[in-house]
Amino acid sequence: MSITSIIQKVALQIGAVILVEPEYEFVGHITFKNGKKSVFSHAKLNINGFASAELAKDKAYSNFFLKHFGYRVTEGKTFFSDQMCAKIAHPRNIDDGFNYAQSMGFPVIVKPLNLSQGILVTKVHNQEEYYDVANKIFQIKSGLIVEKFYSGNDYRIVVLDDEVITAYQRIPLCVVGDGISNVLELLQQKQEKIISTGRKNVIKFDDFRISQKLKTQNFDWDSVIPHDHTVYLLDSANLSSGGEAVDFSETIHPDFQKLAINMTKDIGLRLAGVDILTDDITMPMVDYTLIEVNGSPGLNHYAASGKLAAKRVEELYLKILQVIENDG
């Protein structure tokens, strides 16, 4: 079920009337019972203030403020295309980015400054890989971040005001060997499984990062993977690039609930997806690294991961509509 369908479903429960643009079904207009009107676009509703949402979208700005508030953010710096360097007061170009990566020590994470869904987020191991990824990013964006690589399990905690709605671990795109099939065949099987659950086809077989990740593990597309052996194909754990969700909504420790709620408030948001790395979200908090606070968390793929997940997403959107209807 798409997020648009979920919004339509929960709107009926509160007597709201929805008009959805019929061709793509991404944009809709809501008229509430009390006469109040609102809109949504690509599953984004008017729940967060504009400035806070824009701040959250820029990873460098949001990291600055969250670090100031005492949170453990990733260590990194922004670097810019030649065109952008010509326009700004403190230019740092592609070569400065490499020097910074070298000083920090490989591997590092290189990612676009303000793109979502894990697009072009890449773990790079050397100079050649750095320049390859940086140039790919600069073809579509004017800024990138070079970031220290942190290990740990990747979790998303979805917050609305003073409540954690759901929490889940994100497992990067991977295949499990059967002793017979090669990587390409295993990935094709994975693709069929994802589509059968109602998720969109999210696996991009031509993603350069997959070949790169295989190479670091001494595999290629033709390698036959031993039975029950897991091979990770991406470092980015986004569900929108083929990752899988493991639910921890019932077992997330109160420490992490409080952390996510406070981060959301401190960045000026009401709704957020707080992405952190830590060993175990069910245990008292000892250490963590904040990846980002996302002001418009995409939940399509999570909702498609099972009936309970879909129910939680429905409950979230019902609460969001009630907040919008009753505010002011």
Side-chain angles (χ1 to χ4, degrees):
M1 185 182 284
S2 70
I3 295 298
T4 297
S5 302
I6 288 174
I7 293 172
Q8 288 176 302
K9 181 179 176 182
V10 298
L12 283 173
Q13 294 175 32
I14 58 171
V17 177
I18 287 205
L19 177 64
V20 175
E21 183 280 321
E23 188 173 1
Y24 300 105
E25 298 186 338
F26 288 141
V27 179
H29 183 280
I30 309 169
T31 305
F32 293 99
K33 261 199 324 190
N34 62 6
K36 190 168 182 179
K37 299 179 192 301
S38 189
V39 294
F40 63 89
S41 175
H42 291 75
K44 297 174 187 174
L45 290 126
N46 290 332
I47 184 75
N48 289 324
F50 175 77
S52 294
E54 286 296 298
L55 172 61
K57 206 156 60 172
D58 190 300
K59 297 173 179 69
Y61 285 143
S62 55
N63 259 16
F64 166 79
F65 289 106
L66 288 163
K67 183 178 182 180
H68 176 78
F69 297 142
Y71 297 113
R72 300 169 198 168
V73 303
T74 51
E75 181 185 339
K77 273 188 182 178
T78 51
F79 301 89
F80 304 97
S81 65
D82 289 340
Q83 296 94 317
M84 181 58 77
C85 282
K87 296 178 184 176
I88 58 178
H90 303 288
R92 291 191 295 269
N93 67 16
I94 191 170
D95 299 320
D96 297 322
F98 170 69
N99 292 335
Y100 178 69
Q102 203 170 29
S103 70
M104 202 183 305
F106 288 103
V108 297
I109 298 293
V110 179
K111 60 187 181 183
L113 184 53
N114 53 4
L115 268 183
S116 58
Q117 301 186 328
I119 295 167
L120 288 175
V121 175
T122 311
K123 184 180 179 182
V124 304
H125 301 81
N126 53 48
Q127 181 175 1
E128 182 184 350
E129 288 181 5
Y130 166 78
Y131 278 98
D132 181 39
V133 174
N135 282 312
K136 281 183 168 70
I137 291 172
F138 285 150
Q139 284 172 17
I140 58 170
K141 283 288 173 182
S142 57
L144 61 77
I145 299 177
V146 177
E147 205 169 70
K148 183 177 177 182
F149 172 72
Y150 295 85
S151 56
N153 294 318
D154 183 312
Y155 296 96
R156 166 162 286 184
I157 308 166
V158 179
V159 172
L160 177 62
D161 289 332
D162 292 309
E163 185 182 2
V164 167
I165 304 295
T166 189
Y168 52 93
Q169 184 181 351
R170 303 186 296 181
I171 311 291
L173 177 65
C174 61
V175 291
V176 179
D178 58 11
I180 303 165
S181 309
N182 64 25
V183 171
L184 178 59
E185 291 162 341
L186 291 169
L187 196 55
Q188 287 167 337
Q189 293 163 24
K190 179 106 179 195
Q191 181 186 45
E192 289 168 14
K193 184 182 172 187
I194 285 174
I195 293 170
S196 73
T197 64
R199 288 171 67 183
K200 291 180 182 174
N201 175 26
V202 291
I203 298 174
K204 294 182 170 60
F205 286 76
D206 60 351
D207 189 330
F208 74 97
R209 297 176 298 174
I210 296 178
S211 299
Q212 185 176 299
K213 182 71 174 171
L214 284 169
K215 189 178 173 184
T216 64
Q217 301 168 89
N218 296 315
F219 291 124
D220 59 31
W221 288 99
D222 296 320
S223 300
V224 175
I225 306 303
H227 184 69
D228 277 349
H229 182 77
T230 300
V231 175
Y232 289 94
L233 302 177
L234 289 173
D235 291 297
S236 167
N238 292 67
L239 304 191
S240 50
S241 52
E244 295 173 50
V246 179
D247 214 288
F248 284 89
S249 304
E250 301 296 330
T251 53
I252 176 175
H253 193 277
D255 287 358
F256 286 104
Q257 293 187 42
K258 187 178 176 185
L259 176 76
I261 290 167
N262 288 345
M263 283 178 175
T264 301
K265 286 183 184 301
D266 282 343
I267 209 73
L269 297 170
R270 300 187 66 178
L271 168 70
V274 177
D275 298 340
I276 63 168
L277 295 173
T278 192
D279 287 336
D280 189 346
I281 206 170
T282 68
M283 300 297 288
M285 188 172 68
V286 177
D287 201 10
Y288 71 89
T289 304
L290 173 66
I291 307 170
E292 68 174 309
V293 178
N294 192 318
S296 52
L299 296 170
N300 295 60
H301 298 290
Y302 169 68
S305 66
K307 287 182 180 176
L308 193 55
K311 186 170 181 290
R312 287 200 176 99
V313 174
E314 281 184 25
E315 288 170 357
L316 170 65
Y317 278 95
L318 178 61
K319 287 175 179 175
I320 291 171
L321 290 189
Q322 288 169 330
V323 166
I324 293 171
E325 180 179 25
N326 297 320
D327 268 10

